[in-house]
Amino acid sequence: MLRPLGVLFLFLIASCSVLNEDLNDQLTASTNQYKQLEVSGEYLVDTMSGFNKNHEYVRKTQIISPVNRSKVHEKTIVISKRKKISNDLFFLVPIKYESTFYLNNDVYTVSGQVDLKRRKILYNLNSPEYKWLGQREYAVPQGVKAICFYSSIIECAKVSGFIKKAIEKKNGDMNFHILWESFPYFQEQYLNIPKEILSEARLSFDEFDKKGNYRFLLAAGGQEQVYILNKNLDVVGHYWASQGLSKELVK
């Protein structure tokens, strides 16, 4: 069994009237480090994000040992682009991704591309296990319009305008579908997660905490996760109680 992944990915379908373009919701380059606790131990999560010369939004994530920082457990890169997906809705649409997981002396990889014109997700698996080898294809259902990587879910919600509008209203839901980007490895590690590449999900505004931060709830795969955003709308905490996972920004 692989170590529980600290990086998840979502394919989203937005279906909320508050999801309108907000030109003030621009993404900026950032570099952050988080302390992550799991059932399997303690890790550091390094993230880097920004735009490349093609105006694509690139997010890199590395999960490393806090004792030996040269020891990488996982690394992921996702590439998305801000696009209009309906008359009044912008979203951060995924283009391609690659993830690598290290377990003992073995390497597990998954890389893929999203072709929304053909409505297909093409991904390649490479691992020491025969069942996880070769190219796979998944047909995206016609009802799916907005798609976003889970590692960039808050960025997607910012681009759509949902985050600011939900905070202003102190209410709001964003309904979507998840594509678990690290599928099928992800489903082998977390408990009671449907073994499917797409799942229904919902991001909801919950409340303000005692520090004045904003609390959002993600319901997906029959479980709930919590995101904490500060006043600058940066993620300072991520909690998944049912999996024993917590991630907090290193000051």
Side-chain angles (χ1 to χ4, degrees), residues 38-135:
E38 303 179 13
V39 174
S40 60
E42 179 180 323
Y43 305 91
L44 291 177
V45 181
D46 291 329
T47 66
M48 296 179 61
S49 60
F51 288 90
N52 63 19
K53 63 181 181 180
N54 296 321
H55 305 291
E56 298 167 336
Y57 186 72
V58 181
R59 183 179 178 87
K60 298 179 181 180
T61 304
Q62 272 200 150
I63 299 181
I64 62 177
S65 166
V67 178
N68 179 4
R69 299 195 178 194
S70 64
K71 183 177 181 180
V72 179
H73 294 284
E74 304 167 16
K75 60 182 181 180
T76 301
I77 180 170
V78 297
I79 302 176
S80 311
K81 195 158 190 174
R82 183 178 182 272
K83 290 185 178 181
K84 180 177 283 190
I85 61 172
S86 68
N87 291 337
D88 59 355
L89 174 61
F90 278 80
F91 224 63
L92 199 59
V93 177
I95 300 173
K96 54 187 175 182
Y97 59 89
E98 181 173 295
S99 298
T100 304
F101 314 110
Y102 301 92
L103 179 65
N104 299 323
N105 294 320
D106 293 326
V107 181
Y108 294 73
T109 65
V110 55
S111 60
Q113 294 187 340
V114 182
D115 187 341
L116 289 182
K117 290 184 178 179
R118 297 174 56 216
R119 304 202 64 78
K120 292 185 183 297
I121 301 166
L122 302 174
Y123 59 101
N124 289 281
L125 299 172
N126 194 10
S127 81
E129 301 185 45
Y130 179 77
K131 64 180 179 178
W132 291 332
L133 289 173
Q135 187 176 77

Side-chain angles (χ1 to χ4, degrees), residues 30-45:
S30 66
T31 301
N32 292 303
Q33 185 174 82
Y34 296 86
K35 177 181 178 180
Q36 182 163 296
L37 298 178
E38 303 179 13
V39 174
S40 60
E42 179 180 323
Y43 305 91
L44 291 177
V45 181

Side-chain angles (χ1 to χ4, degrees), residues 17-249:
S17 60
V18 302
L19 299 183
N20 296 315
E21 177 185 10
D22 186 337
L23 294 179
N24 293 321
D25 287 331
Q26 301 297 328
L27 303 178
T28 58
S30 66
T31 301
N32 292 303
Q33 185 174 82
Y34 296 86
K35 177 181 178 180
Q36 182 163 296
L37 298 178
E38 303 179 13
V39 174
S40 60
E42 179 180 323
Y43 305 91
L44 291 177
V45 181
D46 291 329
T47 66
M48 296 179 61
S49 60
F51 288 90
N52 63 19
K53 63 181 181 180
N54 296 321
H55 305 291
E56 298 167 336
Y57 186 72
V58 181
R59 183 179 178 87
K60 298 179 181 180
T61 304
Q62 272 200 150
I63 299 181
I64 62 177
S65 166
V67 178
N68 179 4
R69 299 195 178 194
S70 64
K71 183 177 181 180
V72 179
H73 294 284
E74 304 167 16
K75 60 182 181 180
T76 301
I77 180 170
V78 297
I79 302 176
S80 311
K81 195 158 190 174
R82 183 178 182 272
K83 290 185 178 181
K84 180 177 283 190
I85 61 172
S86 68
N87 291 337
D88 59 355
L89 174 61
F90 278 80
F91 224 63
L92 199 59
V93 177
I95 300 173
K96 54 187 175 182
Y97 59 89
E98 181 173 295
S99 298
T100 304
F101 314 110
Y102 301 92
L103 179 65
N104 299 323
N105 294 320
D106 293 326
V107 181
Y108 294 73
T109 65
V110 55
S111 60
Q113 294 187 340
V114 182
D115 187 341
L116 289 182
K117 290 184 178 179
R118 297 174 56 216
R119 304 202 64 78
K120 292 185 183 297
I121 301 166
L122 302 174
Y123 59 101
N124 289 281
L125 299 172
N126 194 10
S127 81
E129 301 185 45
Y130 179 77
K131 64 180 179 178
W132 291 332
L133 289 173
Q135 187 176 77
R136 312 291 171 87
E137 181 178 296
Y138 180 82
V140 178
Q142 288 297 321
V144 177
K145 294 182 180 180
I147 302 177
C148 175
F149 290 119
Y150 174 73
S151 62
S152 303
I153 183 172
I154 297 301
E155 287 87 349
C156 290
K158 287 180 181 180
V159 168
S160 72
F162 171 73
I163 293 292
K164 281 193 174 181
K165 292 181 185 298
I167 290 172
E168 290 170 2
K169 295 175 180 291
K170 299 181 182 179
N171 191 19
D173 296 321
M174 185 176 76
N175 296 308
F176 51 90
H177 279 73
I178 295 171
L179 183 144
W180 306 102
E181 181 271 349
S182 50
F183 175 87
Y185 307 136
F186 178 84
Q187 279 70 14
E188 295 295 316
Q189 299 170 79
Y190 281 101
L191 299 174
N192 302 316
I193 300 295
K195 291 182 182 291
E196 57 190 16
I197 196 167
L198 283 177
S199 300
E200 292 185 358
R202 181 181 67 253
L203 183 67
S204 305
F205 177 82
D206 185 37
E207 62 182 1
F208 298 87
D209 69 12
K210 295 179 180 180
K211 297 180 180 180
N213 295 325
Y214 311 116
R215 177 182 164 101
F216 285 82
L217 303 180
L218 174 69
Q223 301 184 29
E224 194 168 84
Q225 302 173 48
V226 177
Y227 290 89
I228 305 298
L229 278 61
N230 63 16
K231 293 181 180 179
N232 294 323
L233 304 185
D234 299 318
V235 177
V236 295
H238 176 202
Y239 307 95
W240 193 350
S242 61
Q243 300 294 340
L245 184 149
S246 66
K247 185 168 68 177
E248 296 182 341
L249 183 67

